[in-house]
Amino acid sequence: MTGPLLFTPLSLRDVSLRNRVVVPPMHQYSAVKGFPTDWHLMNAGKFAAGGAGLVIVESTKVERRGCGTVGDLGIWDDAFIEPLRRLVKFIKQQNAVPGIQLGHSGRKARAYRPWEGGGPLQRTPEIEDWEAWTPVAPSAIAHSEKWPVPRALERDEVKDLVQAWGEAARRAQEAGFEVLELHGAHGYLVHEFLSERSNQRGDEYGGSEANRMRFLIEVTESVRAHWPDSKPLFVRLSVEDHAGWGPEQSVRLARILKTKGVDVIDCSSGGITDLAPILGSEIRYNYQVPLADHVRRQAGIMTMAVGLIIHGDQAEQILQNGQADLIAIGREILNNPNWPMDAALKLGSEGAFRNVPPQFGYWLSTRAKRGFGTKPSTWQVGLASRP
């Protein structure tokens, strides 16, 4: 009897994932001057220990100006390599694959942390490099009336940023990461180049769709020049941003990115405006999965599905339907870091406790063998059993 697809290994180039469960990059806003802290070790480590196949470290900025908050991770200097290597080592020790997302906040830089209210940051004496942290963008167009107008990047600065992404990829490789993701979604710098709403440049990086795609394509080429052919490359896109960039544009872009060495499109939505990333009139289970399905079928490229994926059987059905190749479990895995183990139990996957460290897997497996007629505290029926 074959087991659930969710817990079937997947090979991406020379990298093998033990299952299809991915912890997507989720900002922690807890770095100190760009450097990871014990919080990052704990945060990534608990997901790796919980049984996920791939753990992607949060958006890590390719230059100082790209930091969204005072707590963003950085990778714009070789000094960041060794501290990031510590995270890589621990993730690998739990038999998970370590990934990292490279990003730049663009015009949404220099902001308060979300739990501090979000929005533009006010200057304080503690921020020593305030002027060097000036938000930049393709064009001098604010994100909304609540945000300051960014400075438009000069053409030579755009070229420098392309190289900065390549150098960041080199550092990620030296730190030992095995999967790299480029953040091209959610209204940050790469997405700002793609969108007509935020990109009104008159040079080769603005105007036509091909020109607006140019920055990401050049970034991808630069990254691939520094990232080994043996390791996979992901790109996160807002496949539908509700402001002019939609699934058909994303499919055309994905087809080009595939020829440049991209293996997986991480399919999200929204972010170029203040509108929430919603497909339709309400957020519901799988609300972004149709985007992954569309890109996968039309562009002929592997995709990762996101968007209110809560239950194991829900994730399994997405794979069985051929709508995506990988399943990203974000906020739900914050709620239950052992989600992969929990889902494996509920789906009847053989050896559910073998994918977690013996320090707790052994004791949970011995309890399960006693047959005392109870379920784990997280147990509940999934979607398949609901009316």
Side-chain angles (χ1 to χ4, degrees):
M1 179 180 175
T2 58
L5 270 178
L6 188 62
F7 295 99
T8 300
L10 178 66
S11 292
L12 298 167
R13 296 188 184 245
D14 291 349
V15 174
S16 180
L17 308 182
R18 59 181 168 180
N19 57 52
R20 313 295 180 94
V21 181
V22 179
V23 180
M26 292 181 281
H27 276 115
Q28 297 298 295
Y29 304 113
S30 300
V32 176
K33 294 186 175 180
F35 289 92
T37 65
D38 286 348
W39 177 269
H40 295 90
L41 182 67
M42 179 277 297
N43 186 63
K46 69 184 179 185
F47 299 136
L54 171 60
V55 178
I56 305 178
V57 173
E58 66 194 82
S59 179
T60 306
K61 301 311 186 292
V62 302
E63 70 162 1
R64 173 65 180 99
R65 293 181 303 184
C67 289
T69 74
V70 295
D72 281 33
L73 278 178
I75 196 169
W76 61 82
D77 189 277
D78 285 359
F80 294 108
I81 295 172
E82 192 58 38
L84 289 169
R85 188 178 285 139
R86 183 176 180 230
L87 304 184
V88 168
K89 182 180 178 181
F90 192 80
I91 292 170
K92 286 184 175 180
Q93 285 175 345
Q94 313 314 312
N95 297 314
V97 170
I100 188 170
Q101 185 187 72
L102 302 182
H104 190 298
S105 297
R107 66 184 187 180
K108 293 169 75 173
R110 210 167 67 180
Y112 285 103
R113 295 177 177 94
W115 51 85
E116 296 169 341
L121 190 66
Q122 299 300 308
R123 187 171 191 169
T124 62
E126 292 76 23
I127 303 173
E128 300 171 354
D129 60 348
W130 180 263
E131 297 301 335
W133 194 10
T134 301
V136 294
S139 302
I141 302 171
H143 178 65
S144 74
E145 61 182 17
K146 301 176 183 177
W147 289 81
V149 176
R151 183 176 65 78
L153 288 160
E154 300 291 339
R155 182 178 180 277
D156 62 335
E157 291 181 293
V158 177
K159 297 292 186 183
D160 289 343
L161 270 169
V162 169
Q163 296 306 311
W165 285 75
E167 287 298 313
R170 172 186 62 79
R171 296 182 186 110
Q173 157 65 9
E174 292 182 20
F177 288 100
E178 296 183 23
V179 172
L180 195 63
E181 177 169 278
L182 311 182
H183 199 341
H186 300 165
Y188 297 122
L189 185 66
V190 172
H191 188 186
E192 291 163 18
F193 271 92
L194 295 174
S195 171
E196 287 185 292
R197 178 77 62 100
S198 51
N199 182 353
Q200 296 181 10
R201 299 178 68 91
D203 60 11
E204 71 267 37
Y205 293 100
S208 68
E209 179 179 286
N211 280 359
R212 286 181 282 113
M213 289 179 179
R214 191 182 306 277
F215 180 63
L216 177 53
I217 292 169
E218 289 185 358
V219 163
T220 303
E221 291 171 338
S222 179
V223 164
R224 260 296 168 209
H226 294 83
W227 186 246
D229 288 340
S230 60
K231 294 184 177 183
L233 179 62
F234 293 21
V235 172
R236 171 170 276 189
L237 294 178
S238 283
V239 177
E240 170 61 80
D241 71 5
H242 309 285
W245 182 273
E248 297 315 312
Q249 290 91 338
S250 295
V251 165
R252 289 192 287 271
L253 176 57
R255 288 172 179 160
I256 297 170
L257 293 176
K258 183 178 179 180
T259 69
K260 302 297 181 180
V262 171
D263 302 286
V264 176
I265 301 296
D266 178 359
C267 299
S268 190
S269 66
I272 204 69
T273 69
D274 285 341
L275 292 175
I278 300 173
L279 267 181
S281 60
E282 62 179 342
I283 294 181
R284 57 193 183 280
Y285 286 134
N286 296 357
Y287 74 100
Q288 295 182 119
V289 173
L291 301 176
D293 184 25
H294 183 77
V295 172
R296 186 176 189 268
R297 295 180 190 279
Q298 298 301 317
I301 193 168
M302 299 178 76
T303 61
M304 181 158 70
V306 305
L308 210 61
I309 302 172
I310 304 294
H311 303 289
D313 58 348
Q314 177 190 1
E316 176 67 13
Q317 194 62 55
I318 294 167
L319 296 174
Q320 292 286 350
N321 290 345
Q323 295 173 285
D325 302 275
L326 292 161
I327 304 294
I329 306 295
R331 296 193 189 190
E332 188 59 24
I333 211 164
L334 293 177
N335 182 56
N336 175 14
N338 295 328
W339 188 95
M341 180 183 71
D342 188 41
L345 284 168
K346 293 171 181 176
L347 291 171
S349 180
E350 184 179 354
F353 296 112
R354 290 202 297 264
N355 283 330
V356 297
Q359 290 93 326
F360 60 89
Y362 170 80
W363 301 107
L364 291 174
S365 66
T366 56
R367 183 181 75 166
K369 291 174 183 176
R370 292 188 185 126
F372 53 90
T374 65
K375 299 291 187 183
S377 59
T378 57
W379 189 277
Q380 65 181 47
V381 295
L383 296 182
S385 301
R386 295 184 174 192

